[in-house]
Amino acid sequence: MTNMPVLQLRNVDYSYSARSGVVPAVERLSLDIETGSFLSIVGPSGCGKSTLLRLLAGLLFPDRGEVLDDGQPVTGPNPRRGIVFQKPQLYPWLTVGKNVEFGPKMRGLPRVERKRLAEQYVEMVRLTEFAKSYPYELSGGMQQRAALARVLANDPKVLLMDEPFGALDALTREHLQDELREIWRSTGKTIVLVTHSVEEAVYLGTRVLVLSDRPARTLADIPVSFSTNGTRGLGREVKARPEFIKVREEVLRYVWT
Amino acid sequence: MPARLIGYRWLSLVGIAAVVLIWTVAAELQVVPELFLPHPRTVARTLMHITFTGYRGGTLPYHLAASMRRVLVGFLLALPTAVPLGLAMGYSRRVRAFFDPLIEFYRPLPPLAYYTLLIVWLGIGDESKVALLFLAAFPPLSISAMSGVASVPAERIQSALALGASRAQVFRHVIFPSCLPSIFTGMRVSIGFTYTTLVSSEIVAATSGVGWMVLDAGRFLRTDVIFAGIFVMGVTGLALDRVVRLLERRIVPWKGLVE
Ligand SMILES: Nc1ncnc2c1ncn2[C@@H]1O[C@H](COP(=O)(O)OP(=O)(O)OP(=O)(O)O)[C@@H](O)[C@H]1O
Ligand SMILES: [Mg+2]
């Protein structure tokens, strides 16, 4: 793991202009996201987490300050930075395999190559059996795995995820956490995960960023290490350890203030 | 088909049978004069007669073909013009600002109001009829395509952009297919409205078509022909709708399953 930041926010302000007036969502926020790190972002509802993620994605542009990707200003969405939303947003007219192939196809990769990529990533999220199924024939958790595979097939440097497991039941959620952790470990990608679950944030992150109520500012920035030790399948056990609970409570204290 | 639906289908058949039964009893008992309510048997006989021998110089298949040609030509001309225009209106504020008032102005007009004008311009042949049906078919198609574009989830477009699609690719590979369910709804409304307008179009200067046949029969108090004509029009209308629904199920099987 190098310490070069892949994404940077420098003194970023962002506000929405709503009917009721100007709503500042992010204020003077600076942030360096290191290559290969796993950044979890937590904070009260409506504090500006999604806004922050959209700024990083290039779907929104700062009013002041700048967003840098490898030192270059972000000018719009880019396949270097893949996005996974809470809703999988798969294309219902394409099979799971074709959905995963979408990015490579848009980028003009030759047919053979993109077929191979699709196969590889469908397998990575264990959906090979369903490659020819349509998204509406899949459960919510399977759809979210397919959405993950679709983004990964583009080989992005950074994965931006906005409450990707928020709509899933607790058990599926824990399974997907372990899968995501495994993918992060094996691919070495940088991941930014916005979540409502402090437990999830502490379990998966190498670093947990706690944001203040709107407008979002950094309340705490806590390095954690449960994702780098501990093994697959031991999720529950890790989460029950005293040292895990200690960190989780520490983060929770910030969220509650 | 699930057993549940078969149960309901039975109910539908019972409903239809009840109407036919009441009709037959009323005709047998001569509750109203035969002239107002012909016996189902008479209507069936008339139906056979106009199918094979014809009504005033043309068989039923001939009249039906004339009507279908007008409806389908009008509709099939509207489809490849109204849908792209509607998509463009949904995508670009400018295009919408330009066309929306024009379409919104003529849409609520009763077709007969401007039909006379079309006849003055295009003559009394099929051209003015097809033009009328084209204009009837147009708004439901363009409006449904337009609202289809507006209701594509923003995140669906954003995820496509973040997957490396260009604006043009997003339009072709994401927005257009996303609009298909809405376009199909528009097609069903459009076919229905076009078909309704058909009868109006055949009031004026026609010597063929099922609409004309029914109107003409009315002038001679041939209620049996009117009944037969209405029956044929009803069945044809159902068949048209069924064709669109079959296409819909094949092309947009996800309709109703995905928001
Ligand atoms: N499109 C918009 N127009 C106007 N205001 C908006 C818009 N989107 C968000 N906001 C405002 O910006 C603030 C931050 O929104 P954001 O979606 O970033 O919050 P969040 O932290 O992701 O919330 P949640 O945890 O509930 O998803 C909200 O309080 C909301 O009032
Ligand atoms: Mg949010």
Side-chain angles (χ1 to χ4, degrees), chain A residues 49-50 162-163 194:
Chain A
K49 301 182 293 295
S50 297
D162 195 352
E163 292 176 40
V194 166

Side-chain angles (χ1 to χ4, degrees), chain B residues 1-13:
Chain B
M1 183 174 297
R4 244 174 338 111
L5 279 186
I6 295 173
Y8 288 126
R9 176 155 296 191
W10 257 107
L11 269 180
S12 310
L13 289 177

Side-chain angles (χ1 to χ4, degrees), chain A residues 16-18 23 25 43-52 162-163 196 214:
Chain A
Y16 292 98
S17 30
V23 182
S45 175
C47 77
K49 301 182 293 295
S50 297
T51 307
L52 170 57
D162 195 352
E163 292 176 40
H196 271 141
R214 197 189 70 209

Side-chain angles (χ1 to χ4, degrees), chain B residues 8-216:
Chain B
Y8 288 126
R9 176 155 296 191
W10 257 107
L11 269 180
S12 310
L13 289 177
V14 169
I16 294 166
V19 170
V20 175
L21 188 71
I22 293 168
W23 176 16
T24 313
V25 171
E28 287 286 349
L29 299 177
Q30 301 258 320
V31 180
V32 285
E34 167 91 49
L35 177 67
F36 293 154
L37 186 70
H39 196 284
R41 203 188 311 117
T42 321
V43 174
R45 212 176 287 136
T46 305
L47 194 57
M48 296 302 278
H49 185 261
I50 57 177
T51 302
F52 297 109
T53 317
Y55 176 80
R56 300 243 288 152
T59 60
L60 184 58
Y62 164 79
H63 288 304
L64 199 56
S67 291
M68 282 302 107
R69 197 175 56 237
R70 290 166 190 150
V71 168
L72 290 180
V73 171
F75 178 76
L76 291 177
L77 286 175
L79 194 60
T81 44
V83 170
L85 181 69
L87 292 172
M89 283 166 73
Y91 202 56
S92 150
R93 284 231 175 120
R94 266 168 231 231
V95 179
R96 178 165 48 209
F98 187 88
F99 286 101
D100 203 40
L102 302 175
I103 295 177
E104 283 307 310
F105 176 76
Y106 97 78
R107 189 173 63 93
L109 292 176
L112 272 181
Y114 50 84
Y115 186 30
T116 40
L117 204 52
L118 292 174
I119 293 175
V120 172
W121 289 340
L122 298 170
I124 57 167
D126 258 6
E127 289 85 352
S128 55
K129 291 181 179 45
V130 168
L132 181 74
L133 296 176
F134 170 83
L135 288 172
F138 200 94
L141 292 171
S142 63
I143 290 169
S144 65
M146 182 175 80
S147 69
V149 176
S151 56
V152 182
E155 286 185 351
R156 193 184 270 183
I157 295 170
Q158 292 166 348
S159 67
L161 289 170
L163 286 168
S166 66
R167 292 260 158 205
Q169 283 175 322
V170 166
F171 194 83
R172 173 157 174 243
H173 294 285
V174 178
I175 295 179
F176 176 65
S178 294
C179 291
L180 281 174
S182 166
I183 291 172
F184 266 99
T185 305
M187 277 168 68
R188 289 180 63 192
V189 175
S190 169
I191 283 260
F193 189 57
T194 311
Y195 197 60
T196 319
T197 311
L198 169 76
V199 179
S200 310
S201 85
E202 291 179 344
I203 290 177
V204 187
T207 51
S208 65
V210 274
W212 169 81
M213 188 180 82
V214 166
L215 291 161
D216 191 72

Side-chain angles (χ1 to χ4, degrees), chain A residues 90-155:
Chain A
L90 297 168
Y91 308 123
W93 52 92
L94 298 178
T95 61
V96 168
K98 294 280 179 199
N99 262 286
V100 176
E101 216 183 299
F102 185 85
K105 184 175 173 187
M106 294 302 110
R107 291 184 301 126
L109 265 61
R111 180 180 289 269
V112 184
E113 172 69 3
R114 56 188 211 232
K115 283 256 184 298
R116 191 189 62 74
L117 281 172
E119 245 167 64
Q120 177 189 340
Y121 286 97
V122 166
E123 197 190 328
M124 180 182 267
V125 297
R126 299 184 296 113
L127 283 175
T128 306
E129 206 185 320
F130 298 93
K132 294 212 158 56
S133 301
Y134 285 88
Y136 52 86
E137 298 169 327
L138 267 52
S139 73
M142 288 155 84
Q143 289 184 25
Q144 198 55 285
R145 286 189 345 235
L148 193 57
R150 182 174 69 174
V151 167
L152 290 170
N154 254 343
D155 196 23

Side-chain angles (χ1 to χ4, degrees), chain A residues 187-226:
Chain A
T187 59
K189 297 209 180 299
T190 309
I191 298 185
V192 180
L193 173 78
V194 166
T195 174
H196 271 141
S197 157
V198 170
E199 187 183 79
E200 181 170 285
V202 173
Y203 180 58
L204 291 175
T206 52
R207 183 179 164 198
V208 178
L209 191 72
V210 183
L211 296 180
S212 68
D213 213 337
R214 197 189 70 209
R217 268 177 293 184
T218 308
L219 272 189
D221 191 343
I222 303 157
V224 283
S225 59
F226 299 99

